[in-house]
Structure formats: structure tokens, C-alpha cells
Amino acid sequence: LGVSCDAAGHVLSLRLVGLGLTGTLDALDFTALPDLATLDLNNNNLFGAIPASLSRLRSLAKLDLGSNGFNGSIPPQLGDLSGLVDLRLYNNNLADAIPHQLSRLPRIKHFDLGSNFLTDPDYSRFSPMPTVNFMSLYLNYLTGSFPEFVLNSSNVTYLDLSQNNFSRPIPDTLPKKLPNLMYLNLSVNAFSGGIPASLSKLRKLRDLRISTNYLTGGIPDFLESMSQMRVLELGGNPLGGPIPPVLGRLQMLQRLDLRSAMLVSTIPPQLGNLGNLRFTDLSMNQLSGVLPPELAGMRKIREFGISSNNLAGQIPPAMFTSWPDLINFQVFKNSFTGKIPPEIGKATKLEILYLFSNNFTGSIPVEIGQLVNLVQLDLSVNWLTGLIPHSLGNLKQLTRLTLFFNELIGAIPPEIGDMTALQVLDVNTNHLEGELPTTITSLGNLQYLALFDNNFTGTIPPDLGKGLSLTDAAFGNNSFSGELPQSLCHGLALQNFTANHNNFSGTLPPCLKNCAGLYHVRLEQNQFTGDISEVFGVHPILDSLDVSKNQLTGKLSPHWSQCTNLTLLSMNNNLMSGSIPAALCRLTSLRSLDLSNNQFTGELPHCWLKLKALVFMDVSNNGLWGNFPASTSLDDFPLQSLRLANNSFSGEFPSVIETCCSMLITLDLGDNMFVGDIPSWIGTSVPLLRVLTLPSNKFSGVIPSELSKLSNLQVLDLSKNSFTGSIPGTFGNLTSMMKTPKQVFSSKKVESSGRHDFVQVRRISTFSRRTVPANNPSLLDKYRDRVNIFWKGREQTFQKTIEISGSIPESIGGLELLESLDLSWNELSGAIPPTISKLNSLGVLNLSNNLLRGVIPTGSQMQTFADESIYGNNPGLCGFPLSIACSDEGTEDHQELGRGIWLWYSIILGIVFGFWSWFGALFFLRPWRFFFLQFLDKLGSK
């Protein structure tokens, strides 16, 4: 096999391509093959050094060792193969400098050393290679300017220097030195300057690839003269400027890549003249305007990409009827509007359809079900309404279906079970409802399932997960009930699992314990029962675990200390008991620990200060007792919140806080049995403290005046203790308690789509626009500092101190499930938006003590708020339920009138006092005084 001989029996060629050969060439006796002309060992698994003894093959014309694992240097002795015409050493692990002896091969035509680890040679020792017509040095470690020996190899027609680190400008002399070039690839280097105008002299050039460099100066117009061009790749350069309409004259062009080139313009309609174009990528620029209908003239287009621009308007339907070979259509991250054209069903060869992050409206066209070759469909982050079409069940090749962040309603159609190739199903953040179809268990290739933030009800099919290797399952923020499928993690591949904020009950799937790859788990606010220690085991990469607000029992397992990457552990509001094991002190990556509202007993481990990354710690409302532990390790660490309330801790004020916790913002020691004085060091050792609550203890002595040094303090509770003496007069220095609010209350836009993040309160989640926020520090926002204080008539839990000014946004009407809104005692100004009347669930409202003005909105729900005090101390408000009536012109008009009167009053006052200075007080004083007193009286009543 692969051996050719002459009539005398001499071996002429060895062609052993792709046979899986392994080993080295060290044992091969090349002297036994004096007539060998071809040695082709391409695409095997050979390794080791290339033997220098290859130079003994004096008759060798072709040497192909490409796509193996050869390493070491290229033997310079290969330069002695005077008959060598074809040398291919590409795609190996060859290193060191390219031997200059290779440049002296007198007959070499094909010279390919690409995809190795070769470094710069001494180019001064290189000779021109006039016989070479194919030269490739791509993907090595070559640097410096354009190699001179290459420029002197005048017969090169194919030149590939891509994926190196060549720099400086592309030489203007290149067309003169290499006039026969047909293929030029300089991509992924560090060339700078403009695109040389001299390139227009390369009349034979068909393929120009110079993407991903540092080229500037725009796309040159001279390209129109290169009518023979087939491939033009300029993307990944900071070119700037517009897309020249003259590119439409390159009638032979088949591939156009201008992505990420800082282009600022509209899309020229002339590009529609490129009738042979098969691929175009204009993505990641600053293109604006609309898609010209003339683009339908690109009738051979197969792949079309214009994503991440500023394009708007509708997609011309003619594109889909005129592009019969279209397989890839990507227009995501723009501002396209209107409906998705039903004509899209004509592009039956489509494999990838990405329309996400636009402003498309209307329903999903049923015609999409005709795209039977579709592999990936992403319509997410739009404004699509209506039902998920049953016709999608025809997409048997589809592996990815993402419809999240739309306004879809109804149930998931049962035909979903016909999409047996589906690997990713993401419909999160819609208005979908009803039960999951049992056919969803037929998706035998499903790996990623995201259903969170919808209105789903009922139970999850019990067989979901059986036979699957699910990596992601997200059911959060729905109304699911019943037990979770016990086979959900059957494949033990689960990494991200969220079922938070539902009505699930029963025990958790026992297979979770064996999912070694668990990374992110959120199961809070359900009714799960069972022993927590039997559900979770050792998960080496686990980052966050939240099982709070359930009915779980059991003890904290010491084995969880092996979850060394854990950053968040939240188990509050359960029925867990036992002591807190000291082994958990090994969780040195832990940032948030919440064990509050359980039945833990015993002492807090003395090693707790070993949790060097801890920011939030809450063990309140348990049965912990004893002195709060100090530590011999008093290095400062980032603790910001420490909550120990409602336990049985005793002893004096924890002294360890003085030396360990300078970053502390919240300290809650309430409802314990601490005794003694409040130490004076508290005013200097914890300078960032905002919340200090010490109620219901046995503290005594005088209240230290040093507390007034806490310039950031906003909440102070010393009630129900045994303090004596007077309240320090220096408390007047606690300026943060009367600080002017700075934060503006405004609506945050979601990128590209223009959608407000003000969604229904019960649907707000830490996920934002992703199922799992990998390495996202904002995940801790949900668990940020909180404190219980008696405020506005009742005990309330505050997550943070809110300071609000500015106006109430119109988008507040989108909080359709809001039950309580208290914005009192701020500096809100402007009118109350009429959209507030849309809050049909609102039961508590307080807008008092602000700077609001205008007419109080009316509406069915607003009419139920008849208490004037909820609008009190807003001098500009009028209308029901206030006794201040609004005129027909409206309060705003009156305020404008008032401003005008004040202006005229100021002018008149200036004139009066001017005359006063001229004619004397005796003549003017009494009548003008009377006039102005009457004027001010009327203005005040107005």
C-alpha cells in the first residue's frame, strides 16, 4: 500500500497518507532508498525530530511531513536536497529559527512551513527564492517588517504570512516585486498605516486578505479597478469611514468581509450588484439607516451577517424570495422593527437564523416551520407576541431554540416533542402559561432548558431528565407545584439548577449529590422538605447554593468544606439544626453566608475569621450562644455586614471587631445578652458604619460621644438597654442622617432593545438576561445588606438605604403586581405619572413629603386612596383627595403663570426702587408699599 517502484524494483515513492502511523523516523534507513522521489507521510501521528539523514535522499523531489507531531528544529541539511520541488512541513510542532539553507533549494516551487512554532531567522543570510510560486509561513512566531527575501521571490503567486506578528506598513513596492500574486494573506498581524494604493497594480490578484491588523485610512476607492477580485477581507482593522459604493463594481466578488472595521455609514444599495457574492459580513460596525431592498440582487448569497450595528426599519421580504441558497442569516443586535416577514419560509435552505436583540413585533410567523433544514433559531430579546407556532415541530434538525425576553403567551405546544435534535430550549422571561407538555420528555438530546420568569403552572413531567445529560435546568419564578422529577439529574451532568420562587414541595432529587460538576444552585422560596445533608455532597466547583425559605431539615455537613470554590451559601428560613461545624472555615472563597432563621445551636466556631473573603454574614434568629469568638488571626478582611441578632450571645461588645472589620457597614447585635459598655473605639475603628443596631441587650454605662464620629451612620438603635446619662450633644454631627439625597430614580434600559428593566416585581431575578451569570459579582446583590428596624409604623426589612430625587418615571406603571409603594420623605419633583393608575394591585401608597406638583391621577385603584396624608407636604399637588381644587388650565399652567407674575413683579420692584433713589422715599413709599402688600397677598392666595 502506497509503495511505487520502477521496472528494476527500485522504490520511487512512498505515499502513506492518513494511515494512523505512529512513532519516529529514527530507524528508517534512507540509504536503502537512493531512487526515492516522493515521501508523503501527511496526516499521521508521527513525532520526534525530523532526521538530518533525510538529506541522503538525493533523488527526492517531494517531501510532505505535514499534519504530524514532529518537533525540534528543521534540519539545515534539507537545504542539500538539490532536486526538491515540493517541501511541506506545515502543522507540526517545529520550533527555532527557519534555516537559511532552505532558501538555496534551486528547484523549489512549493514551500510550506505554516502552523508551527518557528521564530525569526537571520534574514540577511537568506537568498531570493526565484523558483517558488507557493509560499506559506502562516501561524508561526515571526516578527519584524515584511521579509525582504519574500519580496525578492518574484515568481510567488500564493503568499500566506498570516497569524504572525509582522508589523510596520505594507511595503509600497510589493506589487512591483511580486507582480504575479493571485493570493495574498497578511491577516492577523500588526501591520499599520493605510492600504497601499499600489496594490491596484496587482492585476492578477483574486484573493486579498488583510484583516485583523492596525490598518487605517478607510476603504480605498481604487479597489473598484481590481475587477478580478474574488475575495476581499478587510475586517478587524480600525479603518473608519464609509463603505464605498464602488465596491458594487466588483462583479466577480464572492466573499466580502468588513466586520469590526469602525465603518460609519449606511449600506450602499450598489452592493446589490454583487451577483456572485456568496458571503458577506458587515457586523460590528456603526452602520445606520435601513437595509436597501436592492440587496435582493445578491442572488447567490449563502451567508449574510450585519449584526451589532445601528440599522433600523424593516427587513425587505424580497431578500428571502431572491436568495434561494441562503443558509446563514444573522442580523442580531440592531434596531429592526416591524414583523418578521412571512416570506422567510421561502428560504428553505436556511440553517442559522439569528434575529435576536432587535425590536421586532407581531407573532412568530408559522412559515418558519417550513425551514426544515434549520439548525439554530434565535428570536430572543424582541417584542414578539402571540403563541409559539405549532409548526415549529417540523424543525427536526433544530438544535437550538431561544425565544427569551419577548411577550409570548399561551402554552408550549406539544409538537415541541417532535424536535428530537433539540439541545437548547430557552423561553425565559415571557408570559407563557399552563403546564409543560409531557412530550417534552421526548427531547432525548436536550442539554439546556430555561423556563424561568413565566407563568407556568402544574407539575413538571416526572420523566423529564431520564436518559438525558442536562447541564442547565432553570424553572425559577413560575407557579410550578408538586415534586421535582427525581430523574432530572439522571445523567449527573447538571451544572446550573434553578427552581426558585415556585410552589414545589417534597424532597429534592437524590441524584444531585452525585453531580460533581454543580456550579450554581437556586432553590429558594419553595416548600421543599427532607434532610439537606442527604441531597448535597462534595461539589468541587460549586460557586453558589441558595436553598433559603423552604422547610428543609438536617445538619450542616462537614464534608461541604471540600466545596472550596463556594462564594455564596444561603440556607436561611428553614428548619435546620445542630451546630455550625468548624470545618466550614475552610471555605476561604465564601463571600456571603446566610444561616439565619433556623434552629442552629451551640457556639459560633472560633475559626470564623479564616473566611478571608467574607463580605456578608448572617446567623441571626437561631439558638447560638456563648461569647462571640475572637481570633488570634486579626488580619483585616472585607466583611461589610455582620448580623447576630436574636440569639443568646453573651459577654462584652465583641472586641475582635476593632481589629478585623474596618470595612464594616452594618452591625446588628440586637436581642442577645451582651453586657458592658459600648467601647469608645467604635467611632474610629469602623469608620464606614451605616447601620448600628444594639437593641434588647444588657449594655450599660453612658452612650459614648465617639459614635458621632461615624459620619456615614444612617440607622442607630440603642433601645431596650440599661444606658445612663444623657444623649450626647455631638449627635448633631451625624450628618448622614440628614444628607441631601443624590441618587436619581430612573429607568434602566436593556441594551439594544429599548426595553425597561421595570418588569413585574415577582419576576425580577438576579439572572437579568442570562440563565447563569458566570463569574458575575452582581449575584451578591440579592443578598446584600439588610436590617430590621421599626419604621413608619411597623417593623420592616430594609435591603439598603434608598436616597431618591428626580421624578417618578412613567415606566412605573409596568409594575403590575406592585402592592406597596412608599416614596415618602425624598426630594421627588415633577408630576405623578398617570401610569400609576395602572397599578391595580396597589394597596399601600405614600408619596408625602416630596416636591411633587400637578394633578393627582385618577383611576379605579387611585380612587381608593382617600387619605390626604399620603400626598401631604407636596405644595404643588391638587385634586382628589386633597381639598385643593385644580383649575381647568391645570396646576402646571398656574405655575407657569406664577413664574411670569414673579418675573414682572421683580421688574416692577427694580423700577420702583430706581425711582425711589431719584425722587425720594417721601413721595413713593406709602402708596407703593400698600400696592405691593396687596399684590403679594393676592399672589399668595393664587
Side-chain angles (χ1 to χ4, degrees):
L1 176 68
V3 180
S4 298
C5 303
D6 62 10
H10 302 134
V11 177
L12 299 181
S13 71
L14 287 175
R15 300 180 185 271
L16 306 175
V17 178
L19 298 180
L21 301 177
T22 61
T24 70
L25 300 183
D26 295 341
L28 187 57
D29 183 6
F30 295 106
T31 58
L33 302 168
D35 299 303
L36 190 66
T38 299
L39 178 59
D40 189 349
L41 304 178
N42 192 287
N43 193 23
N44 283 285
N45 300 314
L46 301 169
F47 55 88
I50 297 176
S53 55
L54 273 171
S55 60
R56 298 174 185 173
L57 299 174
R58 297 299 182 180
S59 300
L60 200 62
K62 178 178 180 178
L63 175 60
D64 189 347
L65 304 180
S67 295
N68 279 283
F70 291 111
N71 53 32
S73 304
I74 298 175
Q77 291 88 344
L78 295 185
D80 297 332
L81 296 172
S82 57
L84 199 62
V85 175
D86 193 333
L87 176 62
R88 307 181 191 221
L89 304 179
Y90 64 90
N91 199 20
N92 279 285
N93 298 313
L94 301 172
D96 299 329
I98 301 173
H100 65 87
Q101 291 88 345
L102 298 184
S103 66
R104 295 170 188 163
L105 292 168
R107 299 182 182 179
I108 192 72
K109 292 185 177 181
H110 193 107
F111 186 69
D112 192 346
L113 308 182
S115 189
N116 280 288
F117 299 92
L118 301 172
T119 56
D120 292 324
D122 183 358
Y123 288 119
S124 65
R125 303 183 68 182
F126 267 70
S127 302
M129 302 178 73
T131 58
V132 171
N133 53 45
F134 182 105
M135 181 181 291
S136 175
L137 303 175
Y138 86 99
L139 195 55
N140 279 288
Y141 290 139
L142 305 177
T143 62
S145 57
F146 203 100
E148 192 66 27
F149 89 94
V150 175
L151 286 175
N152 293 327
S153 301
S154 56
N155 283 307
V156 170
T157 60
Y158 182 106
L159 178 60
D160 189 350
L161 303 181
S162 65
Q163 301 185 67
N164 282 285
N165 198 28
F166 291 116
S167 57
R168 302 176 188 172
I170 299 172
D172 279 324
T173 58
L174 188 146
K176 182 178 180 181
K177 295 287 188 73
L178 304 175
N180 298 310
L181 273 179
M182 300 176 65
Y183 178 99
L184 176 61
N185 191 348
L186 306 179
S187 297
V188 195
N189 277 286
F191 289 112
S192 58
I195 300 174
S198 60
L199 293 184
S200 62
K201 299 177 182 177
L202 293 172
R203 296 301 181 184
K204 298 179 182 180
L205 193 65
R206 295 186 173 191
D207 202 321
L208 176 61
R209 304 174 189 240
I210 52 177
S211 61
T212 316
N213 282 282
Y214 298 103
L215 301 173
T216 56
I219 300 174
D221 285 337
F222 70 74
L223 291 173
E224 68 170 308
S225 65
M226 306 179 76
S227 58
Q228 76 285 356
M229 193 81 70
R230 264 66 165 180
V231 175
L232 179 61
E233 294 186 356
L234 308 178
N237 286 290
L239 290 169
I243 299 176
V246 295
L247 292 184
R249 299 179 184 176
L250 300 178
Q251 301 276 317
M252 303 300 293
L253 201 63
Q254 298 176 9
R255 182 180 178 89
L256 176 63
D257 184 353
L258 304 178
R259 73 189 187 282
S260 190
M262 296 187 180
L263 303 177
V264 182
S265 74
T266 58
I267 297 178
Q270 290 85 348
L271 294 187
N273 297 328
L274 301 176
N276 288 298
L277 200 64
R278 290 167 170 77
F279 174 98
T280 184
D281 190 352
L282 310 179
S283 61
M284 293 183 287
N285 284 290
Q286 300 176 45
L287 304 178
S288 58
V290 301
L291 277 180
E294 291 85 353
L295 295 185
M298 301 188 300
R299 297 186 179 276
K300 293 186 179 179
I301 196 74
R302 291 172 55 84
E303 299 183 64
F304 182 76
I306 52 169
S307 60
S308 300
N309 280 289
N310 303 315
L311 297 164
Q314 300 187 12
I315 294 180
M319 285 185 169
F320 302 113
T321 56
S322 303
W323 295 352
D325 296 323
L326 186 66
I327 61 172
N328 190 338
F329 188 77
Q330 301 192 30
V331 299
F332 59 90
K333 290 188 178 179
N334 280 285
S335 297
F336 289 117
T337 57
K339 296 183 177 181
I340 299 173
E343 289 82 357
I344 199 168
K346 301 293 184 182
T348 54
K349 293 183 180 180
L350 259 178
E351 297 177 5
I352 298 176
L353 178 59
Y354 282 175
L355 306 181
F356 63 88
S357 294
N358 281 286
N359 291 314
F360 290 116
T361 55
S363 58
I364 299 174
V366 295
E367 289 81 2
I368 287 184
Q370 300 173 16
L371 305 177
V372 294
N373 292 300
L374 208 58
V375 177
Q376 298 190 39
L377 173 62
D378 194 337
L379 308 179
S380 59
V381 196
N382 280 289
W383 297 94
L384 300 174
T385 56
L387 305 173
I388 298 176
H390 292 259
S391 62
L392 293 189
N394 298 328
L395 307 180
K396 304 278 196 300
Q397 307 299 319
L398 199 68
T399 62
R400 178 184 179 90
L401 175 61
T402 47
L403 306 175
F404 63 87
F405 261 86
N406 279 289
E407 304 291 330
L408 300 172
I409 61 172
I412 294 179
E415 289 80 2
I416 195 81
D418 297 332
M419 305 166 70
T420 51
L422 207 59
Q423 299 175 14
V424 174
L425 175 60
D426 192 343
V427 295
N428 83 75
T429 317
N430 280 283
H431 304 295
L432 298 172
E433 58 190 12
E435 297 191 15
L436 293 183
T438 56
T439 54
I440 200 171
T441 61
S442 301
L443 302 178
N445 293 293
L446 195 63
Q447 299 175 17
Y448 183 105
L449 176 63
L451 307 175
F452 63 90
D453 285 354
N454 279 287
N455 303 315
F456 290 118
T457 57
T459 59
I460 295 177
D463 290 335
L464 183 62
K466 186 176 294 185
L468 299 182
S469 293
L470 274 176
T471 61
D472 294 74
F475 307 110
N477 295 302
N478 281 287
S479 296
F480 286 119
S481 58
E483 291 194 10
L484 285 169
Q486 298 298 294
S487 57
L488 191 64
C489 41
H490 183 266
L492 303 181
L494 205 58
Q495 299 173 15
N496 302 295
F497 179 37
T498 60
N500 52 295
H501 294 85
N502 279 284
N503 298 313
F504 288 118
S505 59
T507 58
L508 292 166
C511 52
L512 285 173
K513 192 166 189 175
N514 297 316
C515 291
L518 271 182
Y519 177 79
H520 178 73
V521 180
R522 287 190 61 187
L523 306 174
E524 74 270 18
Q525 286 200 252
N526 283 284
Q527 301 171 38
F528 291 121
T529 57
D531 190 333
I532 189 72
S533 62
E534 295 178 359
V535 177
F536 295 101
V538 176
H539 310 284
I541 67 169
L542 186 64
D543 177 80
S544 55
L545 173 62
D546 188 347
V547 295
S548 59
K549 297 183 179 179
N550 281 286
Q551 300 173 30
L552 296 167
T553 59
K555 299 180 180 181
L556 297 176
S557 170
H559 299 297
W560 295 345
S561 63
Q562 299 177 52
C563 303
T564 52
N565 286 302
L566 196 64
T567 63
L568 185 148
L569 179 60
S570 185
M571 296 185 164
N572 57 289
N573 293 86
N574 278 286
L575 303 173
M576 300 173 65
S577 59
S579 60
I580 299 175
L584 295 187
C585 295
R586 300 185 195 131
L587 299 176
T588 54
S589 297
L590 199 64
R591 298 183 62 197
S592 178
L593 174 64
D594 193 345
L595 305 177
S596 61
N597 294 283
N598 278 287
Q599 300 171 13
F600 293 116
T601 57
E603 293 187 281
L604 197 66
H606 285 255
C607 59
W608 73 280
L609 278 176
K610 292 183 179 179
L611 301 173
K612 295 298 184 182
L614 200 62
V615 176
F616 178 96
M617 178 175 173
D618 189 350
V619 294
S620 60
N621 297 295
N622 280 288
L624 301 171
W625 49 268
N627 291 350
F628 187 75
S631 175
T632 55
S633 175
L634 298 179
D635 295 333
D636 206 12
F637 69 107
L639 188 67
Q640 296 181 17
S641 179
L642 178 60
R643 302 192 72 229
L644 309 177
N646 200 16
N647 281 285
S648 298
F649 289 114
S650 56
E652 295 186 342
F653 195 99
S655 59
V656 68
I657 293 174
E658 179 182 10
T659 51
C660 81
C661 307
S662 63
M663 304 294 291
L664 206 61
I665 294 175
T666 295
L667 177 60
D668 185 358
L669 306 181
D671 292 281
N672 280 287
M673 294 187 290
F674 289 111
V675 299
D677 297 344
I678 298 178
S680 58
W681 51 256
I682 195 168
T684 54
S685 296
V686 281
L688 304 179
L689 205 63
R690 296 181 189 173
V691 176
L692 176 61
T693 58
L694 309 176
S696 301
N697 278 283
K698 297 180 180 180
F699 289 117
S700 58
V702 298
I703 300 174
S705 60
E706 286 82 1
L707 285 174
S708 61
K709 296 179 181 179
L710 297 173
S711 58
N712 295 297
L713 198 65
Q714 296 175 344
V715 175
L716 175 63
D717 189 349
L718 307 177
S719 61
K720 298 181 182 180
N721 280 285
S722 301
F723 294 116
T724 57
S726 59
I727 298 175
T730 54
F731 274 14
N733 298 329
L734 295 172
T735 55
S736 283
M737 294 192 179
M738 53 186 177
K739 186 182 294 183
T740 301
K742 299 295 183 183
Q743 181 177 344
V744 177
F745 186 50
S746 61
S747 58
K748 177 184 177 184
K749 303 282 187 178
V750 172
E751 182 183 357
S752 299
S753 71
R755 167 167 297 174
H756 292 286
D757 269 350
F758 283 112
V759 293
Q760 294 177 346
V761 168
R762 70 184 183 92
R763 294 173 59 200
I764 292 176
S765 71
T766 59
F767 290 109
S768 185
R769 305 176 71 78
R770 295 186 55 185
T771 304
V772 180
N775 301 319
N776 186 356
S778 66
L779 182 61
L780 286 173
D781 288 350
K782 175 182 180 295
Y783 309 93
R784 68 182 136 193
D785 205 4
R786 61 177 183 262
V787 65
N788 293 336
I789 58 175
F790 195 77
W791 182 257
K792 298 183 180 180
R794 62 182 185 273
E795 188 177 57
Q796 300 184 33
T797 299
F798 279 72
Q799 284 288 114
K800 62 175 182 177
T801 300
I802 303 174
E803 300 176 345
I804 305 173
S805 63
S807 61
I808 304 174
E810 289 282 341
S811 54
I812 200 168
L815 298 171
E816 298 172 0
L817 299 183
L818 193 66
E819 297 177 355
S820 177
L821 177 61
D822 189 346
L823 301 177
S824 61
W825 291 100
N826 285 290
E827 292 189 358
L828 294 169
S829 58
I832 301 174
T835 56
I836 202 171
S837 61
K838 297 180 180 179
L839 303 179
N840 294 326
S841 300
L842 199 64
V844 176
L845 177 65
N846 192 351
L847 303 179
S848 62
N849 298 287
N850 281 287
L851 303 173
L852 298 169
R853 59 181 174 82
V855 181
I856 297 174
T858 58
S860 57
Q861 191 68 14
M862 297 300 292
Q863 296 301 110
T864 64
F865 299 112
D867 182 1
E868 292 189 24
S869 67
I870 67 176
Y871 301 109
N873 289 325
N874 285 284
L877 288 179
C878 64
F880 177 83
L882 300 178
S883 58
I884 303 173
C886 302
S887 67
D888 293 339
E889 292 82 10
T891 302
E892 188 169 346
D893 294 337
H894 281 281
Q895 291 192 344
E896 292 296 329
L897 176 61
R899 296 189 192 101
I901 292 174
W902 276 108
L903 175 61
W904 282 108
Y905 166 68
S906 303
I907 295 172
I908 294 171
L909 190 62
I911 295 173
V912 167
F913 283 102
F915 277 119
W916 190 353
S917 66
W918 283 96
F919 296 104
L922 182 64
F923 184 80
F924 285 98
L925 179 58
R926 288 180 62 83
W928 277 109
R929 178 184 179 190
F930 175 76
F931 170 79
F932 278 115
L933 287 175
Q934 278 197 327
F935 186 88
L936 289 173
D937 184 62
K938 290 181 180 180
L939 186 63
S941 65
K942 193 68 171 177

